């Protein structure tokens, strides 16, 4: 079912043009007392505005707004929404103005039309930027009035139904965007009837061969199973009637895209998909739902692990239903869904079924779960400026293969599959997430990278001293956790950079014999940062700490004459023979650093330098000076900024031992081998700080040792001693980690 080189999809006959009377009849059916005049007037306005315009198919353009209005009527929307559906393209595609629509139809309809129009205007250059900006605009419009996105859904659905006349490349582009954004968003808002049709139509253009194949095979299978499904429905209807449970029972065909996705994601063949047809029982009450479930399980044997109770624990989009799969009367597996009539309406229409505007309000209820989700997504949209990062975040939230876990108090929380205790902690409160130090799941301590499972009871352990690390970004799955961690790290790095910038400037000023304190106050720095457009005093110090402005450049702006004299003096010193030049003033962590009397020194974890290795030093953003070996692969990436490089040398005397890791490969394990290796290491006066012993089923070993050594020479002596041990086939130094 590859998307590569697809064959053209079979042609679709264009739908007959919708008549205004059809729309009015539908509205009157679900809202008999409604005044239909605004819809009639909107139709007349749209007909005049679009007169003479045609669609790509050759149909009158008016057929499109009429079809959009009918879809909105099928969703039981109010007359303002349906009028806006008729007018939604008038401002963008005709000479009509939003002011004209406001004068004729009022602020409510004009606001809806304006919201839909703004989503459509995307003058950005790249597809990725357009998609991200489109989604941001949809979110903003939705936060003001949810009906805007419902009109946009109807617009996209009719465009997908009539995609046939467009060129193939355009068909695929529109279908891909529909599958990536519109269908998942419809799912997140619980509008199943739109989601399913958008997915099936998108599949038809993205993989037409697979679509055609599924269409034929599903029709054949459905015909084969029709008798069994009808038999099951008849038996169930009779039994429920006997016990007094009122229920409507129908067969529900599986949608093509859901079958396609299951085959691709789970690697299944078509014949392994047994729920091509499901049975749905719709009852009057929740009590009858559970009563019907009991009857079903007495009639047919349920398949273990296939029961889900979304009534007790609803999905995050509000979906509620009982799902069970049983072995039917002819031995075939059949999925049965049980829900109330209200639950069914919510499942089909989602947010459109219960939004607050139906009570005369255009704005959403802030307490509604869907609005809370929307507000969070808007916050992430403001925080994330990079289009790729924003869309990645959106996709995580729109495709939530969810797990449901409990707080110690019994509250249910939904998270995307793969979420960790850190996601849970941030889901409870930002402060809990920032200070999360551990977690208990079902009473047992688990690592922070543990993946939450359905039904877990999660308790977070916090500590005031704990703070996020960059490693957390690798294991969290929710946009909320990721955005809060990034914000904290950014603030922490800025604070470190300000401090480091101050330290570097103090060092540079001391070379000039100047006291740093009076020169680095905000008042003293204000004229300098203003003159050079460097922002605030804090931003100026942070720029030095980040490495964007070198200490020499910064001092040159503070004291231009003195800095120039220092440059000339240092140039003369560089011309002296190397042996006559002093290297450093102090020794720190066994390292001499040129011209430094107090600065943090750390060793690169990527290469773990030892005394005896050739070394280079780099001023690191927010972390003082980092020491690397001369052959470290990361050094090449650091040399682009010569101002960050600094001369360093090993001191003659070392204050503390250094840790080095070696890998010892054993050809054949034998009794006493580990003791012999330990003795060999000890013979070189080297201490073992840590050991990891692994023996394979073939009794071969790959072992790592962390050794405490004074220098490279002592490490090499220990490695040579280990090589002489009988059974050892290889010893090598491990760089990094």
């Amino acid at each position: 079912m590859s998307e590569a080189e697809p064959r053209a999809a079979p042609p679709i006959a264009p739908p007959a043009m919708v008549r205004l009377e059809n729309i009015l009849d539908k509205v009157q059916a679900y809202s008999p007392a409604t005044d239909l005049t605004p819809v009639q007037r909107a139709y007349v306005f749209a007909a005049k505005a679009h007169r003479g315009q045609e669609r790509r198919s050759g149909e009158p353009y008016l057929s499109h707004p009429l079809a959009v209005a009918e879809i909105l009527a099928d969703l039981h929307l109010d007359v303002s929404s349906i009028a806006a559906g008729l007018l939604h393209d008038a401002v963008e595609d005709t000479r009509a103005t939003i002011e004209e629509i406001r004068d004729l139809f009022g602020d409510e309809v004009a606001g809806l039309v304006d919201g839909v129009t703004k989503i459509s205007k995307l003058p950005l250059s790249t597809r990725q930027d357009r998609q991200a900006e489109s989604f941001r605009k949809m979110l903003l419009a939705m936060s003001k009035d949810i009906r805007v996105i419902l009109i946009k859904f109807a617009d996209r659905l009719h465009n997908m139904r009539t995609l046939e006349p467009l060129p193939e490349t355009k068909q695929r582009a529109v279908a891909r965007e529909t599958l990536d954004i519109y269908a998942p968003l419809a799912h997140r808002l619980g509008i199943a009837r739109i989601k399913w049709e958008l997915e099936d139509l998108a599949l038809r253009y993205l993989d037409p061969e697979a679509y055609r194949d599924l269409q034929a095979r599903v029709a054949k299978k459905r015909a084969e199973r029709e008798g069994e499904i009808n038999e099951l429905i008849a038996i169930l209807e009779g039994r429920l009637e006997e016990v007094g449970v009122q229920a409507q029972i129908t067969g529900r065909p599986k949608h093509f895209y859901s079958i396609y996705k299951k085959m691709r994601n789970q690697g299944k063949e078509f014949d392994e998909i047994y729920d091509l047809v499901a049975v749905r029982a719709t009852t009057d009450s929740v009590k009858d739902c559970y009563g019907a479930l009991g009857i079903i399980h007495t009639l047919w044997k349920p398949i273990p692990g296939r029961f889900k109770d979304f009534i007790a624990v609803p999905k995050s989009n509000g979906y509620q239903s009982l799902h069970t799969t049983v072995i039917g009367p002819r031995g075939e597996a059949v999925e049965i869904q049980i829900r109330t009539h209200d639950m069914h309406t919510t499942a089909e229409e989602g947010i459109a079924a219960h939004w607050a505007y139906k009570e005369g309000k255009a704005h959403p209820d802030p307490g509604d779960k869907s609005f809370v989700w929307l507000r969070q997504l808007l916050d992430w949209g403001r925080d994330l400026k990079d289009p790729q990062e924003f869309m990645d975040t959106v996709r995580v939230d729109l495709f939530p293969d969810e797990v449901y876990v409990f707080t110690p108090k019994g509250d249910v929380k939904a998270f995307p599959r793969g979420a960790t205790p850190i996601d849970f902690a941030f889901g409870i409160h930002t402060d809990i997430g920032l200070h999360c130090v551990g977690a208990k799941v079902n009473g047992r301590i688990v690592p922070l990278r543990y993946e939450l499972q359905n039904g877990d009871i999660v308790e977070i352990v916090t500590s005031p001293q704990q703070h996020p690390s960059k490693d957390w970004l690798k294991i969290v799955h929710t946009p909320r956790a990721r955005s809060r961690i990034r914000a904290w790290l950014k603030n922490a790095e800025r604070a470190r950079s300000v401090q480091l910038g101050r330290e570097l400037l103090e060092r540079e000023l001391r070379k000039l014999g100047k006291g740093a304190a009076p020169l680095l106050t905000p008042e003293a720095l204000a004229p300098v940062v203003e003159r050079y457009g460097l922002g605030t005093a804090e931003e100026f110090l942070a720029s030095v700490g980040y490495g964007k402005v070198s200490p020499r450049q910064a001092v040159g702006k503070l004291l231009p004459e003195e800095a120039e004299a220092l440059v000339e003096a240092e140039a003369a010193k560089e011309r002296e023979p190397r042996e006559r030049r002093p290297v450093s003033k102090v020794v720190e962590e066994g390292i001499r650093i040129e011209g430094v009397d107090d600065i943090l020194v750390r060793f690169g974890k990527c290469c773990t330098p030892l005394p005896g290795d050739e070394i280079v030093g780099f001023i690191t953003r927010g972390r003082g000076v980092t020491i690397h070996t001369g052959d470290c692969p990361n050094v090449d990436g650091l040399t682009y900024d010569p101002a960050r490089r600094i001369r360093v040398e090993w001191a003659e005397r070392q204050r503390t031992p250094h840790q080095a890791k070696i890998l010892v490969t054993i050809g054949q394990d034998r009794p006493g081998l580990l003791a012999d290796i330990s003795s060999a290491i000890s013979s070189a006066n080297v201490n073992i700080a840590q050991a990891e012993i692994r023996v394979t089923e073939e009794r071969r070993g790959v072992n790592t040792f962390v050794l405490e050594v004074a220098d490279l020479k002592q490490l090499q002596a220990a490695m040579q001693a280990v090589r002489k041990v009988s059974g050892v086939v290889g010893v090598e130094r491990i760089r990094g980690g």
Side-chain angles (χ1 to χ4, degrees):
M1 296 188 181
S2 169
E3 292 181 14
E5 300 182 1
R7 294 185 300 190
I12 294 179
M17 185 165 169
V18 176
R19 296 171 57 83
L20 176 64
E21 290 75 14
N22 298 343
I23 299 171
L24 298 177
D25 289 345
K26 289 185 177 185
V27 177
Q28 208 154 34
Y30 63 79
S31 185
T34 298
D35 179 11
L36 301 176
T37 304
V39 178
Q40 294 166 325
R41 290 173 54 229
Y43 168 76
V44 173
F45 186 94
K48 289 180 180 178
H50 292 293
R51 181 179 295 152
Q53 293 181 347
E54 291 185 348
R55 305 195 80 209
R56 199 62 87 82
S57 62
E59 296 174 284
Y61 194 89
L62 185 62
S63 63
H64 174 61
L66 277 168
V68 169
E70 184 181 44
I71 293 169
L72 296 172
D74 289 336
L75 289 173
H76 295 183
L77 264 69
D78 61 335
V79 293
S80 295
S81 302
I82 295 169
L86 287 165
L87 301 169
H88 78 276
D89 276 339
V91 173
E92 187 176 1
D93 295 337
T94 76
R95 294 181 178 179
T97 65
I98 199 69
E99 289 74 20
E100 190 177 359
I101 290 176
R102 182 173 284 106
D103 290 342
L104 292 173
F105 298 97
D107 290 340
E108 188 176 9
V109 172
L112 294 172
V113 173
D114 191 40
V116 177
T117 303
K118 285 178 177 176
I119 292 174
S120 303
K121 291 182 177 179
L122 299 171
L124 300 171
S125 56
T126 68
R127 184 191 68 82
Q128 191 178 78
D129 284 350
R130 284 197 302 274
Q131 195 178 67
E133 190 59 26
S134 174
F135 200 82
R136 279 195 175 98
K137 287 184 176 182
M138 280 195 284
L139 294 176
L140 188 59
M142 286 162 60
S143 69
K144 294 178 179 177
D145 194 325
I146 195 65
R147 293 173 292 181
V148 171
I149 195 60
L150 299 178
I151 296 168
K152 191 64 184 174
F153 279 151
D155 174 52
R156 176 53 61 105
L157 180 56
H158 185 251
N159 282 334
M160 287 298 296
R161 288 174 179 173
T162 55
L163 206 55
E164 184 70 32
L166 297 183
E168 185 180 332
T169 53
K170 182 67 172 176
Q171 290 175 351
R172 289 176 61 79
V174 174
R176 173 51 59 193
E177 185 182 53
T178 298
L179 200 57
D180 283 350
I181 298 299
Y182 286 91
L185 186 54
H187 169 74
R188 197 62 177 77
L189 297 176
I191 313 173
R193 65 164 65 176
I194 286 182
K195 174 223 176 192
W196 288 332
E197 189 174 355
L198 287 176
E199 287 178 340
D200 282 358
L201 288 168
L203 175 62
R204 183 183 176 278
Y205 291 100
L206 291 173
D207 199 340
E209 187 173 346
Y211 180 87
R212 203 167 31 243
D213 180 58
L214 276 176
Q215 201 174 29
R217 296 173 78 172
V218 168
K220 181 181 178 183
K221 190 79 170 179
R222 203 174 284 163
E224 291 174 359
R225 297 201 62 188
E226 187 174 355
E228 179 187 10
I229 296 299
N230 289 338
E231 181 182 346
L232 183 146
I233 290 174
I235 294 171
L236 184 55
E237 282 179 335
R239 188 73 183 94
L240 291 176
E241 190 174 347
E242 287 177 15
V243 298
V245 174
Q246 298 294 318
Q248 291 181 338
I249 305 172
T250 57
R252 177 188 65 84
K254 195 88 169 178
H255 294 270
F256 295 143
Y257 183 72
S258 62
I259 301 170
Y260 175 85
K261 189 166 65 171
K262 186 173 287 189
M263 291 172 67
R264 291 191 65 173
N265 293 351
Q266 300 179 13
K268 291 187 175 183
E269 296 296 328
F270 178 81
D271 293 334
E272 297 178 84
I273 309 294
Y274 53 77
D275 53 349
L276 294 175
V277 180
V279 172
R280 178 179 297 139
T282 312
T283 71
D284 294 331
S285 68
V286 172
K287 184 181 78 171
D288 284 347
C289 287
Y290 288 100
L293 177 69
I295 295 298
I296 291 166
H297 283 181
T298 59
L299 288 171
W300 302 288
K301 185 176 181 179
I303 296 177
R306 296 287 299 174
F307 170 69
K308 295 178 182 177
D309 188 345
F310 294 119
I311 293 180
V313 184
K315 290 188 177 183
S316 55
N317 62 7
Y319 176 87
Q320 288 184 286
S321 189
L322 298 175
H323 291 194
T324 186
T325 302
V326 299
I327 303 299
R330 300 186 188 178
E332 293 277 355
V334 181
E335 183 186 64
I336 303 177
Q337 299 175 355
I338 312 161
R339 61 180 69 152
T340 66
H341 296 291
D342 286 343
M343 290 174 190
H344 179 64
T345 301
T346 299
E348 293 291 301
E349 300 175 12
I351 210 165
H354 57 76
W355 204 256
Y357 72 78
K358 291 199 171 182
E359 299 170 7
K361 303 173 186 175
H363 299 288
D365 175 9
D368 189 284
K369 287 183 179 179
S370 298
F371 181 65
V372 172
W373 165 79
L374 172 60
R375 195 168 50 198
Q376 287 176 347
L377 214 54
L378 274 169
D379 290 341
W380 300 325
R382 282 190 288 266
D383 293 341
L384 302 174
K385 304 304 180 187
D386 176 59
Q388 178 64 50
E389 188 177 4
F390 175 63
M391 293 314 297
D392 288 345
T393 298
V394 164
R395 289 188 183 99
V396 168
D397 207 63
L398 287 184
F399 295 94
D401 186 6
E402 291 173 327
V403 294
Y404 296 88
V405 298
F406 296 88
T407 69
K409 294 183 178 180
D411 296 330
V412 180
K413 300 288 182 181
F415 292 93
R417 191 164 296 281
T420 64
I422 300 175
D423 293 298
F424 180 91
F426 279 101
I428 300 299
H429 195 279
T430 297
D431 284 343
I432 293 176
L434 293 175
H435 299 292
C436 171
V437 72
K440 291 181 180 178
V441 173
N442 305 323
R444 294 188 305 108
I445 295 176
V446 298
L448 290 179
R449 60 177 61 251
Y450 168 84
E451 292 189 5
L452 301 177
Q453 304 297 316
N454 274 316
D456 280 348
I457 301 173
V458 186
E459 181 182 354
I460 298 299
V461 181
T462 61
S463 167
Q465 287 75 42
Q466 175 70 3
H467 298 293
S469 71
K470 286 185 178 179
D471 291 338
W472 285 15
L473 292 172
K474 300 175 184 176
I475 60 176
V476 296
H477 277 63
T478 57
R480 177 184 176 86
R482 187 170 286 110
S483 66
R484 297 298 187 271
I485 293 167
R486 283 194 175 121
W488 190 92
L489 291 173
K490 183 178 179 181
N491 290 335
E493 184 177 359
R494 178 180 175 83
R496 286 195 302 268
S497 297
V498 169
Q499 180 60 30
L500 178 60
R502 185 179 298 277
E503 291 173 0
L504 293 173
L505 285 179
E506 288 174 353
R507 184 192 76 175
E508 204 70 22
L509 288 167
R510 278 194 289 270
K511 292 181 182 179
L512 297 173
K514 300 289 184 179
L519 290 172
L520 298 182
T521 63
E523 295 74 22
L525 289 173
V528 178
V529 297
E530 183 178 352
R531 185 185 315 137
Y532 292 101
L534 298 171
T536 65
E538 188 176 84
E539 289 171 348
F540 171 60
L541 294 173
S543 295
V544 177
Y546 279 133
K548 295 178 181 177
V549 178
S550 74
R552 180 64 49 81
Q553 291 172 325
V555 170
K557 290 176 170 53
L558 288 170
L559 302 168
E561 294 180 4
E562 290 90 335
E564 186 176 350
L566 179 63
V567 170
E568 292 177 0
E570 290 190 345
K573 186 173 68 173
E574 285 295 323
R575 289 192 289 270
E576 295 178 13
R578 178 177 177 84
E579 59 272 12
R580 292 172 55 188
R581 283 184 259 149
V583 176
S584 64
K585 295 180 181 178
V586 296
V587 176
E588 175 70 30
E589 296 297 333
I591 296 291
R592 288 195 179 99
I593 304 175
E594 181 183 22
V596 174
D597 52 8
D598 185 18
I599 193 168
L600 175 67
V601 173
R602 57 192 293 271
F603 295 99
K605 293 182 179 179
C606 48
C607 54
T608 55
L610 291 176
D613 285 323
E614 181 186 349
I615 54 173
V616 291
F618 288 90
I619 297 171
T620 307
R621 297 178 181 179
R623 297 187 179 182
V625 173
T626 301
I627 309 299
H628 295 268
T629 60
D631 59 355
C632 175
N634 288 335
V635 166
D636 290 339
L638 297 168
T639 54
Y640 70 93
D641 187 356
R644 291 177 56 196
R645 184 161 182 160
I646 191 166
R647 287 185 59 217
V648 294
E649 289 183 359
W650 292 107
E652 293 178 5
R653 289 193 308 163
Q654 303 297 314
R655 293 181 181 178
T656 57
H658 296 259
Q659 289 194 340
K661 185 181 288 188
I662 63 171
L663 178 70
V664 179
T665 306
I666 299 169
Q668 189 69 34
D669 192 24
R670 60 173 173 81
L673 178 56
L674 180 58
D676 291 346
I677 294 174
S678 299
S679 297
I681 293 173
S682 299
S683 69
N685 295 318
V686 173
N687 181 49
I688 300 175
Q690 184 180 336
E692 181 182 344
I693 313 300
R694 291 177 290 151
V695 180
T696 67
E697 293 180 359
E698 296 80 17
R699 299 191 63 75
R700 298 173 67 88
V702 179
N703 307 328
T704 55
F705 296 89
V706 177
L707 309 180
E708 292 182 344
V709 297
D711 52 26
L712 179 62
K713 184 178 179 181
Q714 190 178 28
L715 173 64
Q716 290 171 339
M719 292 171 65
Q720 187 60 31
V722 174
R723 288 191 183 99
K724 295 178 180 178
V725 174
S726 175
V728 172
V729 297
V731 182
E732 60 181 294
R733 178 182 174 186
I734 301 175
R735 302 284 189 147

